Amino acid sequence: MVYPSGLILLLLTTVLLPSRAVAHSFGAGTDQFASFVEGASVVIFDQVTLFATLSLGLMIALWKNRGVVQALPLFVAGLVLGFLLAPSVTTWVMMGATVVGSITATLGASLNQQFKPLTLILALFTGLLVQMVSLEGHVWMELSVSIYVGVTLGAILPVMLGAATGELLLEKLPATVSRIAVRVACSWLAAIQIMMLAFFSR
């Protein structure tokens, strides 16, 4: 049992290192594919956006099978709204996204049955805040279109991954075990994000 404990400690140490509260600095003069990858990596490799989107994906899986089909349009609507509002926000959005992510993960861990209105509302707010975190500090169309596409698809990917992983566990494992496993994953995400909030509020 030493190896999993060491791995968890390493993960928590990496996750809880405070990030600089500045706008993401995107490269200039790169080709379209490199810009796309750069945009996607901003979401995928940022703890705030990654954990918020993964939490949403797992909650969707607990809500209903193939629930991502209904929740994704609201998430994308949040991304569009976040794109429109991003130039006017400040670094508070990092804390806002972490609060929404921790609420989503906590509800996923604690509620035996997820409710449609709640899941769809959280999908909208997660998309909104994740996009604002990723584009905070940049004015409209300051970046290339490929970066915006990369950021958007990079935000959708963890939601799809979380939902697909949760559904796979729920389908392949016995019902009791599978729901417990997904809810435990939600509880870990909730705990990590709450600890991140403690760092942000210092």
Side-chain angles (χ1 to χ4, degrees), residues 10-25:
L10 178 62
L11 174 65
L12 287 176
T13 304
T14 305
V15 163
L16 296 176
L17 287 174
S19 303
R20 290 195 308 160
V22 294
H24 293 289
S25 178

PDB file of all heavy atoms in Angstrom, residues 10-25:
ATOM      1  N   LEU A  10       1.997  12.629  -4.190  1.00  0.00           N
ATOM      2  CA  LEU A  10       2.612  13.346  -5.305  1.00  0.00           C
ATOM      3  C   LEU A  10       1.567  14.133  -6.085  1.00  0.00           C
ATOM      4  O   LEU A  10       1.778  15.286  -6.450  1.00  0.00           O
ATOM      5  CB  LEU A  10       3.322  12.349  -6.228  1.00  0.00           C
ATOM      6  CG  LEU A  10       3.994  12.933  -7.477  1.00  0.00           C
ATOM      7  CD1 LEU A  10       5.092  13.909  -7.081  1.00  0.00           C
ATOM      8  CD2 LEU A  10       4.555  11.823  -8.344  1.00  0.00           C
ATOM      9  N   LEU A  11       0.417  13.508  -6.317  1.00  0.00           N
ATOM     10  CA  LEU A  11      -0.666  14.173  -7.043  1.00  0.00           C
ATOM     11  C   LEU A  11      -1.145  15.409  -6.296  1.00  0.00           C
ATOM     12  O   LEU A  11      -1.290  16.488  -6.877  1.00  0.00           O
ATOM     13  CB  LEU A  11      -1.833  13.199  -7.253  1.00  0.00           C
ATOM     14  CG  LEU A  11      -3.094  13.794  -7.884  1.00  0.00           C
ATOM     15  CD1 LEU A  11      -2.816  14.243  -9.303  1.00  0.00           C
ATOM     16  CD2 LEU A  11      -4.234  12.798  -7.850  1.00  0.00           C
ATOM     17  N   LEU A  12      -1.379  15.265  -4.990  1.00  0.00           N
ATOM     18  CA  LEU A  12      -1.861  16.390  -4.190  1.00  0.00           C
ATOM     19  C   LEU A  12      -0.837  17.522  -4.151  1.00  0.00           C
ATOM     20  O   LEU A  12      -1.185  18.695  -4.221  1.00  0.00           O
ATOM     21  CB  LEU A  12      -2.194  15.935  -2.764  1.00  0.00           C
ATOM     22  CG  LEU A  12      -3.460  15.096  -2.623  1.00  0.00           C
ATOM     23  CD1 LEU A  12      -3.626  14.631  -1.183  1.00  0.00           C
ATOM     24  CD2 LEU A  12      -4.683  15.871  -3.069  1.00  0.00           C
ATOM     25  N   THR A  13       0.447  17.163  -4.056  1.00  0.00           N
ATOM     26  CA  THR A  13       1.501  18.187  -4.035  1.00  0.00           C
ATOM     27  C   THR A  13       1.495  18.974  -5.337  1.00  0.00           C
ATOM     28  O   THR A  13       1.595  20.198  -5.349  1.00  0.00           O
ATOM     29  CB  THR A  13       2.887  17.526  -3.840  1.00  0.00           C
ATOM     30  OG1 THR A  13       2.844  16.738  -2.656  1.00  0.00           O
ATOM     31  CG2 THR A  13       3.968  18.571  -3.725  1.00  0.00           C
ATOM     32  N   THR A  14       1.371  18.259  -6.460  1.00  0.00           N
ATOM     33  CA  THR A  14       1.365  18.916  -7.762  1.00  0.00           C
ATOM     34  C   THR A  14       0.143  19.797  -7.927  1.00  0.00           C
ATOM     35  O   THR A  14       0.223  20.925  -8.397  1.00  0.00           O
ATOM     36  CB  THR A  14       1.374  17.850  -8.888  1.00  0.00           C
ATOM     37  OG1 THR A  14       2.484  16.984  -8.677  1.00  0.00           O
ATOM     38  CG2 THR A  14       1.476  18.507 -10.256  1.00  0.00           C
ATOM     39  N   VAL A  15      -1.002  19.266  -7.522  1.00  0.00           N
ATOM     40  CA  VAL A  15      -2.271  19.972  -7.689  1.00  0.00           C
ATOM     41  C   VAL A  15      -2.341  21.231  -6.852  1.00  0.00           C
ATOM     42  O   VAL A  15      -2.845  22.259  -7.281  1.00  0.00           O
ATOM     43  CB  VAL A  15      -3.442  19.022  -7.331  1.00  0.00           C
ATOM     44  CG1 VAL A  15      -4.721  19.795  -7.076  1.00  0.00           C
ATOM     45  CG2 VAL A  15      -3.656  18.020  -8.446  1.00  0.00           C
ATOM     46  N   LEU A  16      -1.826  21.160  -5.642  1.00  0.00           N
ATOM     47  CA  LEU A  16      -2.010  22.250  -4.704  1.00  0.00           C
ATOM     48  C   LEU A  16      -0.943  23.336  -4.788  1.00  0.00           C
ATOM     49  O   LEU A  16      -0.982  24.294  -4.029  1.00  0.00           O
ATOM     50  CB  LEU A  16      -2.076  21.705  -3.269  1.00  0.00           C
ATOM     51  CG  LEU A  16      -3.279  20.787  -3.027  1.00  0.00           C
ATOM     52  CD1 LEU A  16      -3.220  20.206  -1.628  1.00  0.00           C
ATOM     53  CD2 LEU A  16      -4.577  21.535  -3.229  1.00  0.00           C
ATOM     54  N   LEU A  17       0.006  23.178  -5.710  1.00  0.00           N
ATOM     55  CA  LEU A  17       0.951  24.269  -5.906  1.00  0.00           C
ATOM     56  C   LEU A  17       0.193  25.468  -6.459  1.00  0.00           C
ATOM     57  O   LEU A  17      -0.501  25.356  -7.465  1.00  0.00           O
ATOM     58  CB  LEU A  17       2.051  23.848  -6.908  1.00  0.00           C
ATOM     59  CG  LEU A  17       3.081  22.862  -6.370  1.00  0.00           C
ATOM     60  CD1 LEU A  17       4.005  22.430  -7.501  1.00  0.00           C
ATOM     61  CD2 LEU A  17       3.882  23.475  -5.236  1.00  0.00           C
ATOM     62  N   PRO A  18       0.270  26.617  -5.820  1.00  0.00           N
ATOM     63  CA  PRO A  18      -0.499  27.775  -6.281  1.00  0.00           C
ATOM     64  C   PRO A  18      -0.098  28.179  -7.691  1.00  0.00           C
ATOM     65  O   PRO A  18       1.083  28.196  -8.033  1.00  0.00           O
ATOM     66  CB  PRO A  18      -0.143  28.875  -5.274  1.00  0.00           C
ATOM     67  CG  PRO A  18       0.464  28.171  -4.114  1.00  0.00           C
ATOM     68  CD  PRO A  18       1.072  26.909  -4.635  1.00  0.00           C
ATOM     69  N   SER A  19      -1.110  28.485  -8.526  1.00  0.00           N
ATOM     70  CA  SER A  19      -0.855  28.954  -9.875  1.00  0.00           C
ATOM     71  C   SER A  19      -0.788  30.472  -9.886  1.00  0.00           C
ATOM     72  O   SER A  19      -1.409  31.124  -9.065  1.00  0.00           O
ATOM     73  CB  SER A  19      -1.987  28.500 -10.812  1.00  0.00           C
ATOM     74  OG  SER A  19      -2.122  27.117 -10.777  1.00  0.00           O
ATOM     75  N   ARG A  20      -0.053  31.010 -10.843  1.00  0.00           N
ATOM     76  CA  ARG A  20       0.014  32.463 -10.953  1.00  0.00           C
ATOM     77  C   ARG A  20      -1.330  32.982 -11.460  1.00  0.00           C
ATOM     78  O   ARG A  20      -1.907  32.446 -12.397  1.00  0.00           O
ATOM     79  CB  ARG A  20       1.110  32.869 -11.943  1.00  0.00           C
ATOM     80  CG  ARG A  20       2.497  32.601 -11.425  1.00  0.00           C
ATOM     81  CD  ARG A  20       3.528  33.343 -12.243  1.00  0.00           C
ATOM     82  NE  ARG A  20       3.373  33.097 -13.665  1.00  0.00           N
ATOM     83  CZ  ARG A  20       3.873  33.880 -14.592  1.00  0.00           C
ATOM     84  NH1 ARG A  20       4.523  34.971 -14.259  1.00  0.00           N
ATOM     85  NH2 ARG A  20       3.725  33.600 -15.872  1.00  0.00           N
ATOM     86  N   ALA A  21      -1.803  34.029 -10.829  1.00  0.00           N
ATOM     87  CA  ALA A  21      -3.099  34.599 -11.188  1.00  0.00           C
ATOM     88  C   ALA A  21      -2.919  35.629 -12.302  1.00  0.00           C
ATOM     89  O   ALA A  21      -3.055  36.827 -12.117  1.00  0.00           O
ATOM     90  CB  ALA A  21      -3.756  35.234  -9.972  1.00  0.00           C
ATOM     91  N   VAL A  22      -2.541  35.157 -13.483  1.00  0.00           N
ATOM     92  CA  VAL A  22      -2.375  36.042 -14.625  1.00  0.00           C
ATOM     93  C   VAL A  22      -3.057  35.405 -15.821  1.00  0.00           C
ATOM     94  O   VAL A  22      -3.404  34.243 -15.816  1.00  0.00           O
ATOM     95  CB  VAL A  22      -0.872  36.262 -14.953  1.00  0.00           C
ATOM     96  CG1 VAL A  22      -0.177  37.017 -13.838  1.00  0.00           C
ATOM     97  CG2 VAL A  22      -0.166  34.933 -15.197  1.00  0.00           C
ATOM     98  N   ALA A  23      -3.243  36.219 -16.869  1.00  0.00           N
ATOM     99  CA  ALA A  23      -3.858  35.703 -18.082  1.00  0.00           C
ATOM    100  C   ALA A  23      -2.952  34.653 -18.713  1.00  0.00           C
ATOM    101  O   ALA A  23      -1.730  34.733 -18.617  1.00  0.00           O
ATOM    102  CB  ALA A  23      -4.099  36.854 -19.053  1.00  0.00           C
ATOM    103  N   HIS A  24      -3.571  33.670 -19.369  1.00  0.00           N
ATOM    104  CA  HIS A  24      -2.780  32.671 -20.093  1.00  0.00           C
ATOM    105  C   HIS A  24      -2.048  33.360 -21.231  1.00  0.00           C
ATOM    106  O   HIS A  24      -2.630  34.129 -21.990  1.00  0.00           O
ATOM    107  CB  HIS A  24      -3.690  31.577 -20.644  1.00  0.00           C
ATOM    108  CG  HIS A  24      -4.328  30.743 -19.571  1.00  0.00           C
ATOM    109  ND1 HIS A  24      -3.619  29.837 -18.812  1.00  0.00           N
ATOM    110  CD2 HIS A  24      -5.600  30.686 -19.118  1.00  0.00           C
ATOM    111  CE1 HIS A  24      -4.432  29.253 -17.954  1.00  0.00           C
ATOM    112  NE2 HIS A  24      -5.635  29.758 -18.112  1.00  0.00           N
ATOM    113  N   SER A  25      -0.768  33.082 -21.339  1.00  0.00           N
ATOM    114  CA  SER A  25       0.031  33.705 -22.382  1.00  0.00           C
ATOM    115  C   SER A  25       0.110  32.751 -23.564  1.00  0.00           C
ATOM    116  O   SER A  25       0.761  31.716 -23.496  1.00  0.00           O
ATOM    117  CB  SER A  25       1.434  34.005 -21.842  1.00  0.00           C
ATOM    118  OG  SER A  25       2.227  34.565 -22.853  1.00  0.00           O
TER     119      SER A  25
END
